[in-house]
Amino acid sequence: ERLVKKQKNRIKALNAEKEKLHGTIETMAHEASEVKEIARKLVADLHQQKKNAQSQLQSEMDAVKADMEQLKSHHQNDKSTLLKEKEELRKNMEKEHYAIEESKTLM
């Protein structure tokens, strides 16, 4: 009888341990679910940050491209102006040269 009582106590202890383990497993499953949700939110946040960064980078690249086109246009205008001025100077020098030559022949 003493052996039977001891066996019953062991069974009770094992059942108590079993219940404790079930509780631990449920707690761990709940915590794992929370961790999974946090990870999902972090991944979604990272994707959004990446999307925002790409959008910002594209905007900055577009602005740089527009600036480059504007600089290119200004450069082309400056170049055209300088070429016109150069041609005018060449014509004026030519006129002066002919005027000098003509005045020499008149002397």
Side-chain angles (χ1 to χ4, degrees):
E1 190 171 309
R2 197 169 165 210
L3 193 56
V4 171
K5 190 175 183 183
K6 194 174 184 181
Q7 224 26 38
K8 283 183 182 180
N9 286 340
R10 281 182 116 187
I11 290 171
K12 275 185 183 179
L14 287 172
N15 282 334
E17 189 64 28
K18 180 179 159 187
E19 290 302 315
K20 185 178 174 185
L21 287 173
H22 278 296
T24 301
I25 289 170
E26 286 178 21
T27 301
M28 289 175 75
H30 179 70
E31 289 173 354
S33 179
E34 288 176 347
V35 168
K36 184 178 176 183
E37 181 62 19
I38 290 168
R40 187 197 62 76
K41 287 179 181 177
L42 285 172
V43 168
D45 186 48
L46 287 173
H47 281 300
Q48 188 60 45
Q49 286 180 20
K50 178 184 173 188
K51 186 178 176 183
N52 293 347
Q54 286 174 328
S55 178
Q56 184 178 356
L57 179 61
Q58 186 61 50
S59 294
E60 290 172 2
M61 291 297 289
D62 291 345
V64 166
K65 191 174 182 181
D67 289 347
M68 289 296 291
E69 289 299 320
Q70 190 176 22
L71 285 171
K72 191 175 175 183
S73 175
H74 284 304
H75 173 73
Q76 191 60 42
N77 290 340
D78 291 347
K79 185 178 175 182
S80 295
T81 302
L82 288 172
L83 286 173
K84 286 177 188 173
E85 289 174 359
K86 178 182 172 185
E87 183 59 24
E88 284 178 32
L89 283 171
R90 189 192 61 76
K91 285 179 183 178
N92 287 339
M93 286 178 69
E94 216 173 81
K95 285 178 188 175
E96 286 180 24
H97 175 72
Y98 288 130
I100 290 170
E101 291 299 317
E102 198 173 298
S103 70
K104 283 183 183 177
T105 47
L106 292 175
M107 289 184 174

